[in-house]
Structures are given as C-alpha cells and as structure tokens.
C-alpha cells in the first residue's frame, strides 16, 4: 500500500527536487506571460458578454452605450497596468499589493488587501473554470447535465499540474494561452476585414429581439446612470488577475523587476487589443444575449429549451462560417481551455501570497513550506479545496459566481495605489537629484490617478453588486482578516512564552532524574525499553504496570521476580479497570513531590507496516502519551520495536523524501 501510494505520487508530480534546484524553476518572459497573465488575457472571453448582459436588462435600447463603457474599461486597465509597473520596480520581493500597503499604510490595511486577494483568488478559479465549462457546453450541448462534475475534474487537473512545479505548469499551459490569443486576434482581424469590405459578419442572435426586464424598462436619469455603472462594473472583470505579476516577481529570471514590468506591459497591450476587438465585433455582428432566454423574441421554438451560445461562440460562428466550421471549433476549444487554465493565475498567486503571510505569521507556517517539486503544495491544495466547495455550492453557474467577483481585486488596487503615493512622497523627500525627482513625481501622478479611479470603481462595484451576492465575498474577507489577526496574536504569544531572557539561567540541571518504564508483559519491546532507560543513568529507575486483572498481574510479578534485574516493579491497582488515569496521577504525584525533578516515561512501541495491523493492537499507550505530554516536568520517550512487516513494507531505502513511518503503541 505504501509503495503503491509513493509510486502514484511520483507518477503524478514527478521526482522530488533538491532545494538547490530552485533556480531551475525561474521563468523566462515567454512562460511567465501564460502563467501569471492567463486570467486577464482570458477575461476578454466574458468581459464583453457581462457588459451586454447588464445593458440588455433594458432591452436593445441601451446597447449604444457599449462602446463608451468599453472605452472606460480600457482606460482603467491602462491606468492599472501603468500603476503596477511602478509596484514591481519599487517592491521586487514579491509581496505585491500586500507588501506595498503593509509598508506604507500599516499592517492592518495590508491584511485587508491580503484577505481580499485570497478570497478573490478562490473566485478566480471558480469563475474561470465555470466559464470554461460554459464554453465547452456551447460546443457540446449534451454535456450540460455534467456541469459540476466537469468543473471539479478541471480543478483536479489544474491542481495536479501545479503540484509538479511552476515551470512545469507554465510549459503545459503556454501553448493553450498562445493558441487562444492567436485565435481571438485572427477572428477579430477577419471579422473587421469582412466589415470594411462590405460583408459584415452576422450573429445567430442578430434577428432576435429582447424584451426589457419590467424593473429596468424606460430608464432615465439616475436609474439609467446606475444601469451603465452596473455594466461598467461587470466589464471590469477584464482587470482580474492584473496584480498577479507583482506578486510573482521572484519567480522571474534576472533582472526580475525589468522582466516582470515588460511582461505586464505585453499583457496589457494584448488584453486591450482583444477586448476592444471582441466588443467591436459584438456590435458589428449584432450579438443579442440576455440573462434569461425567455426574454428573447423571435425564437424558432420554446424558450425553455433554448440554450444561448456565449458571445465568443456566436462571433466565431459568424466570422468563420457557421457552427460546423473548423474555425468555430478552434476558437471554442482554445477559449474553453484558456478559461480553465486562467485559474492557473490564482494557482500561482494564492500559494505565493499565502507563503508570505505564513512567513509573517498571519497564516499557519505549513503554507510557507515547499513541496517535493519546490511548489507551495499546501497552498495549492487549500485553494483547490475552497474552489471545489464554491463550484459545488453554486452549481458552477457563472452568472451566480460573477457577483462575488472583482471586489477583492479593486480593494487591493485602491489601497496599493494609495500606498504607492505615500511611497513616492517618502522617496521624494530624501531625493536631491532633479532627474530622479521628475521620474518620481511622474510615477506619483500615475499612482494617484490609479488610486482615485480604482477607488471610484470599488464604490461602484459595492453599490451595484453588494445585494446581488458581493456581500458574501465581503463577509468572507472580513472573517479571513479576523482569523489572520488571531493567528498572528497566537504566534506572538507563543514566541514571547518561548523566548529565553537569560540562557545561562535556563541551563540549570534538574535535582534528580526519575525514569519510569511502562510494562504490560515481559517481551522484547519491554526488555529494550528497560535497557534504553538504564542507559540514561537516571537517579531512580522503576518499571510501572497497572493491575486490571489480578491473575495477569500476579503472573507478571512472578516473571519479574525471575528476571536478573534490580529494577523494582511498581503495581498500581485499578478497580475500575482504567489504565490512563492511574498512570497519569502517579506520575504527577512524583512531580509534585519533587518540583525540580525531571520524570522520564519510556513507552515501548510496535512499528507495523500494514494499515490493518494498526487496528489489531491496543491503543492504551497512545492515550497515555497524549495525556502525559500535557504534564509539566514530564518527558515522554517512545522506544520502537520494528515488526517484520515494517521492514518489508517500509524499508528506508524505498521511502520517498519526507515520508514518515507509521508507529503503533502497545500496552
């Protein structure tokens, strides 16, 4: 069983890597782009659709606002990309928004950013995978009944790929990302050429009308402004994941900051080009899409059985000649794949941020440990579990999940840009060089504009999405912030309790060392434990047994008397057949009698190699050990005796690095 588990692990994630091989996992820009930017690049597959879904709540009358809303999204993305280029140069250690805010605005504000980003990374995985499943179903409608199962399966595949290491996952995901970029750009260029040549593509929904939602019919004034703001906030999903590069600067090859900034610039340019192209094509092809297919008019059949294709699917069919064309299937396959792989941005950002937080003692220290492949395995598994639970709870429905999305991103955007303004204020106060000062002042202006704009977007997102489900993301971030503060206080209390004020004073020897060997019968483990305890040369050594059966105890005493030993056998009477309580009370009484004495309890322990053997042996010593560990002044020592099965099933030469051996205590 142990061998099979180890073999499967090696096949799944590969051989274990030495710590010295960490430099081999550093990324060139061509791999860093698909790893850290797949989320914002893939967001163009649904950002335009989210804008249209909101505007069509009022029917077709408000679609003419689409270009202006798209222009606002592009302007915002430009500002955010320029702002984060400043971050990667100023804070190259990889903390991103969390480090910027913690340093410049304080630890509490930094934790707000960290909690928001951690929640948003979980949302990224859930939304990206659910959207990828949607596009898969658009190409193969028969899979609609397996939506949740497909989503969970895709998360499992992403988890396995990331457990193999950052570089390996990048190599696996690079091709789909570049194929998606090529497919969308070819579709956009082809569609625009057809438009300028007088043969504009026409979508399958162009002939459909849309009845307005009764609550959003005939909007004007403030209500119309709110509808446009809702559409803008939904379109801002195109910005999700932009900050991931600033968190992952240490993963780049040298010069790290310059390579990270260059990758971010390329990402911004490609994302803007694809988003603008898809939005323009959607308007040219007259794509009509709504959140409820029964609001479509002119359908050939019953609206209840009609499945709307995504905007990308409709455009690919219109541009490349129908839903049976190779171009349609290429774009759909690439889109579905890259949307699923877009979750990889979170699979890199979440473990990195969690590792930094664990290093700062805001999360369990295990999240700072690297696995066999030098990836932060515990963070990867934690993210996967949270995403699977979310997908299951929301049935992998993009429309439901999208309301929980982007809130954390804009919280981090706003606070990080505000922190960068304070950073430049501090730098400029100490910088005498006029050339450097001009560059710093320009950078401060960029960050100030970014802080104001993203702050306004945050207010819009809160106002338009809070009651639709964003409150749950806010609640999750608040709970996580509270938990991280509590964890930090705990680690602080433990560190203060363990700190050594005067090492020489702590090195005082005990008055006496009293050794106690627990005995149930005389066999090889008992003899070894007695010999091991004697080797410590204690001031007093005795064997201890508990009498729960008078005949067995009498037989043990006779056998003990036949031994050639001067070690006394102490018998504790237990009329109620308890074992743990009499031993613990006896040991505590010895410690109370001599507070400066040290009591060492030696427990013989079987080591078994098969899981079912673990079930066949008495667990009394395990309970004793767990109770004695809470007794001050008592040292508990396990003395192992390896059974034959342990040697066959778990030979040291066959164990994988980091593997542990199962131990079974005996009475």
């Amino acid at each position: 069983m142990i061998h099979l588990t180890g073999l499967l692990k090696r096949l799944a994630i590969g051989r274990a890597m030495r710590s010295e091989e960490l430099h081999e996992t550093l990324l060139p820009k061509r791999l860093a782009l698909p790893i850290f930017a797949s989320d914002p690049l893939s967001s163009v597959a649904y950002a335009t659709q989210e804008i249209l879904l909101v505007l069509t709540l009022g029917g077709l009358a408000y679609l003419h606002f689409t270009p202006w809303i798209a222009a606002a999204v592009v302007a915002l993305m430009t500002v955010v990309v320029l702002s984060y280029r400043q971050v990667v140069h100023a804070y190259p250690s990889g903390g991103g928004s969390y480090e910027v805010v913690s340093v410049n605005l304080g630890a509490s504000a930094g934790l707000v950013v960290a909690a928001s980003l951690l929640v948003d990374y979980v949302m990224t995985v859930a939304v990206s995978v659910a959207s990828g499943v949607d596009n898969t179903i658009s190409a193969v409608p028969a899979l609609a009944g397996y939506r949740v199962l497909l989503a969970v399966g895709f998360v499992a595949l992403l988890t396995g790929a990331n457990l193999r290491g950052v570089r390996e996952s990048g190599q696996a995901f690079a091709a789909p990302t570049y194929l998606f970029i090529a497919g969308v750009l070819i579709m956009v260029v082809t569609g625009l050429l057809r438009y300028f040549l007088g043969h504009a593509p026409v979508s399958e929904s162009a002939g459909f009308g849309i009845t307005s939602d009764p609550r959003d019919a005939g909007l004007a004034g403030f209500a119309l402004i709110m509808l446009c703001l809702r559409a803008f906030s939904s379109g801002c999903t195109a910005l999700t994941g932009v900050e991931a590069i600033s968190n992952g600067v240490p993963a780049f090859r040298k010069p790290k900051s310059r390579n990270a900034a260059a990758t971010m610039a390329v990402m911004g340019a490609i994302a803007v080009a694809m988003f603008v192209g898809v939005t323009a094509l959607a308007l040219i092809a007259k794509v009509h899409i709504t959140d409820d297919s029964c609001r479509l008019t002119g359908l050939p059949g019953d609206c209840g059985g009609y499945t709307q294709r995504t905007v990308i699917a409709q455009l690919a069919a219109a541009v490349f000649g129908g839903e049976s064309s190779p171009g349609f299937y290429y774009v759909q396959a690439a889109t579905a794949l890259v949307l699923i792989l877009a979750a990889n941005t979170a699979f890199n950002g979440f473990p990195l941020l969690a590792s930094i937080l664990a290093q700062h003692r805001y999360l369990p220290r295990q999240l700072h440990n690297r696995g066999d492949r030098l990836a932060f395995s515990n963070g990867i598994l934690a993210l996967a579990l949270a995403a699977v639970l979310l997908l299951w709870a929301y049935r992998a429905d993009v429309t439901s999940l999208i309301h929980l999305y982007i809130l954390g991103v804009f919280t981090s955007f706003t606070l990080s840009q505000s922190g960068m303004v304070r950073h430049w204020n501090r730098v400029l106060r100490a910088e005498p060089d006029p050339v450097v000062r001009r560059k710093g002042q320009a950078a401060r202006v960029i960050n100030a504009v970014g802080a104001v704009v993203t702050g306004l977007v945050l207010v819009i997102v809160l106002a338009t999405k809070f009651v639709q489900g964003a409150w749950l993301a806010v609640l999750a971030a608040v709970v996580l912030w509270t938990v991280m503060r509590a964890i930090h206080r705990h680690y602080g209390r433990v560190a203060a309790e363990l700190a050594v004020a005067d090492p020489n004073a702590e090195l005082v020897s005990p008055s006496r060392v009293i050794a106690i060997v627990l005995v149930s019968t005389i066999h090889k483990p008992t003899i070894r434990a007695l010999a091991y305890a004697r080797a410590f040369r204690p001031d007093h050594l005795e064997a201890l047994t508990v009498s729960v059966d008078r005949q067995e105890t009498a037989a043990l005493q006779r056998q003990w008397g036949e031994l050639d030993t001067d070690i006394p056998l102490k018998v504790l009477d237990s009329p109620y057949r308890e074992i743990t309580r009499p031993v613990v009370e006896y040991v505590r009484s010895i410690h109370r009698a001599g507070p400066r004495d040290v009591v060492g309890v030696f427990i013989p322990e079987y080591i078994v190699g098969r899981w079912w053997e673990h079930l066949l042996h008495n667990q009394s010593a395990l309970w004793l050990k767990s109770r004695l560990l809470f007794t001050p002044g008592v040292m508990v020592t396990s003395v192992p005796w390896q059974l034959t099965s342990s040697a066959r099933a778990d030979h040291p030469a066959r164990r994988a690095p980091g593997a542990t051996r199962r131990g079974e205590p005996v009475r």
Side-chain angles (χ1 to χ4, degrees):
M1 178 67 70
I2 296 176
H3 287 164
L4 180 60
T5 303
L7 177 62
L8 291 175
K9 181 179 179 181
R10 293 300 135 221
L11 289 174
I13 68 174
R15 68 172 182 86
M17 298 179 67
R18 298 175 62 87
S19 299
E20 294 80 4
E21 298 178 84
L22 182 61
H23 70 280
E24 297 179 10
T25 66
L26 297 180
L27 302 170
K29 294 190 289 293
R30 62 180 176 80
L31 289 182
L33 182 67
I35 287 177
F36 291 111
S38 56
D39 182 19
L41 291 176
S42 67
S43 296
V44 300
Y46 53 83
T48 298
Q49 178 171 308
E50 292 304 317
I51 294 174
L52 297 178
L53 284 172
V54 174
L55 291 178
T56 54
L57 290 173
L60 301 178
Y62 305 119
L63 288 182
H64 65 278
F65 289 110
T66 303
W68 301 103
I69 294 171
V73 172
V74 169
L76 179 61
M77 179 176 287
T78 303
V79 170
V80 170
V81 169
L82 290 175
S83 300
Y84 270 96
R85 278 172 57 86
Q86 307 296 330
V87 172
V88 299
H89 283 296
Y91 294 91
S93 62
S97 298
Y98 165 69
E99 183 179 0
V100 171
V101 176
S102 297
V103 171
N104 295 287
L105 301 180
S108 294
L111 281 186
V112 171
V113 169
S116 300
L117 283 177
L118 290 176
V119 170
D120 210 73
Y121 281 137
V122 176
M123 298 296 125
T124 295
V125 175
V127 171
S128 297
V129 169
S131 185
V133 171
D134 264 3
N135 278 271
T136 302
I137 292 172
S138 290
V140 188
L143 296 175
Y146 303 96
R147 181 184 299 272
V148 176
L149 186 61
L150 285 171
V152 173
F154 288 141
V155 172
L157 289 175
L158 286 167
T159 303
N162 279 278
L163 287 173
R164 294 186 66 89
V166 176
R167 187 178 181 87
E168 283 71 13
S169 65
Q171 291 172 338
F173 300 156
T177 303
Y178 287 121
L179 288 173
F180 169 74
I181 294 171
V184 171
L185 291 179
I186 290 171
M187 180 184 73
V188 168
V189 171
T190 304
L192 292 177
L193 281 175
R194 287 182 56 182
Y195 171 71
F196 288 119
L197 293 175
H199 301 284
V202 179
S203 73
E204 63 186 46
S205 61
F208 299 157
I210 299 179
T211 60
S212 61
D213 189 306
R215 295 168 297 181
D216 297 296
L219 296 178
F222 180 74
L224 180 58
I225 293 174
M226 287 302 298
L227 181 70
C228 291
L229 290 178
R230 282 177 60 188
F232 172 65
S233 66
S234 294
C236 286
T237 55
L239 277 75
T240 57
V242 169
E243 83 293 336
I245 290 177
S246 67
N247 291 332
V249 177
F252 283 79
R253 286 180 178 174
K254 295 180 180 180
K256 295 177 181 291
S257 294
R258 191 171 71 186
N259 286 336
T263 304
M264 184 166 285
V266 172
M267 174 207 70
I270 295 174
V272 166
M274 291 196 298
F275 174 69
V276 170
V278 168
T279 304
L281 268 188
L283 294 174
I284 290 170
K286 296 181 173 59
V287 174
H288 297 161
I289 190 168
T290 179
D291 60 344
D292 181 5
S293 58
C294 286
R295 290 203 293 113
L296 293 172
T297 60
L299 289 176
D302 179 27
C303 66
Y306 181 76
T307 301
Q308 298 179 86
R309 296 188 189 274
T310 62
V311 168
I312 287 288
Q314 292 191 44
L315 291 178
V319 170
F320 294 119
E323 61 187 49
S324 300
S325 62
F328 170 79
Y329 280 107
Y330 170 84
V331 171
Q332 282 306 101
T335 301
L337 193 56
V338 81
L339 280 169
I340 294 166
L341 299 185
N344 197 58
T345 297
F347 271 103
N348 284 278
F350 183 100
L352 280 170
L353 180 57
S355 169
I356 294 170
L357 289 166
Q359 188 178 15
H360 295 171
R361 300 183 177 182
Y362 287 109
L363 287 177
R365 297 302 296 270
Q366 293 89 334
L367 292 172
H368 185 56
N369 299 336
R370 293 183 182 269
D372 285 351
R373 299 291 294 176
L374 299 178
F376 295 110
S377 305
N378 292 330
I380 292 171
L381 294 173
L383 173 62
L385 177 61
V388 165
L389 291 175
L390 197 64
L391 287 165
W392 175 79
Y394 283 86
R395 310 301 300 167
D397 181 58
V398 177
T399 304
S400 300
L401 289 166
I402 205 74
H403 297 307
L404 309 178
Y405 206 23
I406 80 174
L407 187 67
V409 168
F410 280 97
T411 301
S412 68
F413 284 172
T414 303
L415 290 176
S416 67
Q417 299 316 306
S418 301
M420 284 301 295
V421 171
R422 181 168 291 188
H423 164 80
W424 291 120
N425 288 340
R426 187 173 63 252
V427 170
L428 290 171
R429 283 196 298 268
E431 181 57 59
D433 189 333
V435 176
V436 176
R437 285 184 61 84
R438 281 195 298 271
K439 292 181 179 179
Q441 288 166 348
R444 182 173 61 179
V445 170
I446 293 173
N447 291 130
V449 172
V452 172
V453 174
T454 55
L456 290 174
V457 175
L458 177 61
V459 173
I460 293 169
V461 171
L462 275 173
T464 58
K465 291 183 176 290
F466 189 82
V467 296
Q468 295 177 321
W471 65 269
L472 185 58
V474 174
L475 178 62
V478 170
V479 170
L480 186 56
W481 182 88
T482 305
V483 169
M484 288 193 294
R485 289 288 298 268
I487 290 173
H488 189 69
R489 286 195 300 269
H490 168 76
Y491 278 130
R493 287 195 300 267
V494 171
E497 185 176 342
L498 300 181
V500 179
D502 184 358
N504 292 322
E506 299 287 342
L507 288 174
V508 177
S509 299
S511 298
R512 292 192 309 161
V513 175
I514 300 172
I516 299 173
V517 179
L518 299 185
V519 175
S520 61
T521 187
I522 297 177
H523 49 21
K524 290 180 179 179
T526 299
I527 300 302
R528 173 178 288 183
L530 290 169
Y532 186 64
R534 188 189 291 275
F536 278 81
R537 301 184 182 277
D539 296 290
H540 175 72
L541 171 61
E542 68 180 18
L544 180 67
T545 190
V546 179
S547 176
V548 296
D549 184 291
R550 294 185 182 277
Q551 292 181 348
E552 289 184 2
T553 303
L556 175 61
Q557 288 176 313
R558 284 196 302 271
Q559 291 176 340
W560 196 266
E562 296 170 1
L563 288 178
D564 183 17
T565 180
D566 59 349
I567 302 174
L569 175 64
K570 175 72 174 181
V571 179
L572 300 178
D573 190 39
S574 180
Y576 296 101
R577 297 162 303 285
E578 290 184 286
I579 296 175
T580 304
R581 186 193 299 269
V583 172
V584 172
E585 289 181 350
Y586 177 71
V587 171
R588 287 178 176 173
S589 68
I590 294 176
H591 182 64
R592 284 195 298 268
R596 294 188 57 188
D597 295 344
V598 169
V599 182
V601 180
F602 295 80
I603 305 176
E605 190 171 342
Y606 290 156
I607 305 299
V608 299
R610 303 182 182 94
W611 66 270
W612 53 266
E613 289 181 296
H614 184 80
L615 304 175
L616 299 178
H617 296 282
N618 201 305
Q619 301 291 313
S620 300
L622 184 61
W623 290 107
L624 276 168
K625 187 189 300 185
S626 64
R627 290 287 302 278
L628 290 170
L629 287 174
F630 288 93
T631 305
V634 176
M635 309 300 162
V636 182
T637 303
S638 295
V639 183
W641 181 272
Q642 293 79 13
L643 295 179
T644 305
S645 62
S646 68
R648 288 199 304 267
D650 198 21
H651 192 277
R654 299 173 185 170
R655 292 200 305 273
T660 56
R661 178 177 296 174
R662 183 190 298 272
E664 170 61 31
V666 299
R667 239 188 77 197

